Amino acid sequence: MNIILFGPPGAGKGTQAKHLVNKLNNFQVSTGDILRKEIQKNSEIGKTITKDMNDGKFINDEIVNKLIKDVIFDPSRKNRFIFDGYPRSISQAKNLDLLLNHSNQKIDHIFFLNVDKETIIKRIEKRKIIEKRSDDNLNTIIKRYDKYMEITKPVLDFYSKNPQFNEIDGGLKIDEITAKIDAFLNV
Ligand code: AMP
């Protein structure tokens, strides 16, 4: 089963992704994590993206699409993906469709965790203290939210027509969101 978790930064996608990974024995695909790893490795891609990551800017589609390709074509993970933070643009959504088609896979569920800006700001501020993520200062949060609205909103419109699409109130408590997702999955 392939699942897309969708929603603004700080909506709780990562937390729910980890839950689904344990429950379904799936694999989390977080492009944020993949990109942060490139920076840690100090790879060529890592060097190119450091500034944009720290500024809360989107990394260009070409780089992200390239990194995701190997993951999707890995036969040991086929049909067991939890996408967290991807796709984030129409180009990425189309690329994902293409890669899934070519690897004989499909999207089974799309969950949109909908949450307002104030809640997100409070949550990310908390995460900043706990996880010490350098990109999580207030200005960056606002930039990331605005960028999400600008670029990712069209992806939401694109997916909301899909019969696999479900919207969940991301302002609920973690356990309540988990219960709603589980109910949709019937697990
Ligand atoms: P995240 O961990 O999902 O909150 O992502 C952290 C940062 O990584 C974002 O602010 C972007 O700079 C970058 N990023 C993660 N996923 C993507 C993506 N699918 N497309 C472009 N940039 C991304």
Side-chain angles (χ1 to χ4, degrees):
M1 191 188 295
N2 291 322
I3 297 172
I4 296 178
L5 291 170
F6 202 72
K13 300 186 294 293
T15 306
Q16 297 304 327
K18 286 186 176 69
H19 158 74
L20 288 168
V21 162
N22 288 332
K23 187 129 199 167
L24 304 170
N25 195 20
N26 274 27
F27 297 92
Q28 179 180 6
V29 184
S30 156
T31 40
D33 285 350
I34 293 172
L35 293 164
R36 278 186 286 276
K37 258 182 217 143
E38 291 295 320
I39 293 177
Q40 274 163 21
K41 282 195 294 188
N42 204 23
S43 67
E44 280 313 307
I45 289 179
K47 285 178 205 154
T48 318
I49 63 175
T50 303
K51 190 172 183 308
D52 281 347
M53 286 282 284
N54 286 336
D55 288 348
K57 288 190 189 147
F58 269 45
I59 305 309
N60 86 48
D61 288 334
E62 210 182 310
I63 292 179
V64 180
N65 286 340
K66 182 172 179 276
L67 289 170
I68 209 90
K69 189 173 173 191
D70 294 338
V71 177
I72 290 174
F73 277 88
D74 176 352
S76 67
R77 290 189 267 182
K78 190 176 175 178
N79 274 321
R80 289 160 79 196
F81 294 116
I82 309 294
F83 294 100
D84 155 22
Y86 184 90
R88 255 164 151 114
S89 67
I90 287 285
S91 149
Q92 293 181 9
K94 288 185 176 158
N95 181 64
L96 179 61
D97 269 358
L98 210 74
L99 294 174
L100 289 176
N101 270 335
H102 285 179
S103 56
N104 239 332
Q105 302 182 71
K106 62 178 172 61
I107 297 160
D108 296 284
H109 293 278
I110 302 162
F111 294 115
F112 171 47
L113 306 185
N114 194 2
V115 65
D116 62 41
K117 196 170 177 171
E118 285 67 35
T119 308
I120 284 166
I121 290 173
K122 277 191 214 137
R123 281 187 187 167
I124 300 191
E125 280 285 274
K126 222 190 258 174
R127 196 163 77 185
K128 177 184 161 190
I129 299 160
I130 298 165
E131 295 180 12
K132 301 190 177 75
R133 280 170 57 164
S134 67
D135 61 331
D136 283 343
N137 60 57
L138 196 59
N139 276 338
T140 309
I141 294 164
I142 293 164
K143 259 193 243 167
R144 286 170 68 191
Y145 186 89
D146 293 342
K147 200 80 196 156
Y148 168 82
M149 284 317 228
E150 180 193 327
I151 299 182
T152 310
K153 191 68 178 24
V155 184
L156 177 62
D157 299 336
F158 174 80
Y159 280 138
S160 60
K161 298 182 193 91
N162 194 310
Q164 281 79 32
F165 179 88
N166 287 109
E167 181 171 335
I168 294 174
D169 178 2
L172 295 172
K173 293 198 184 102
I174 290 174
D175 290 354
E176 292 169 332
I177 298 176
T178 303
K180 281 191 185 286
I181 291 177
D182 287 354
F184 279 120
L185 297 178
N186 229 343
V187 289

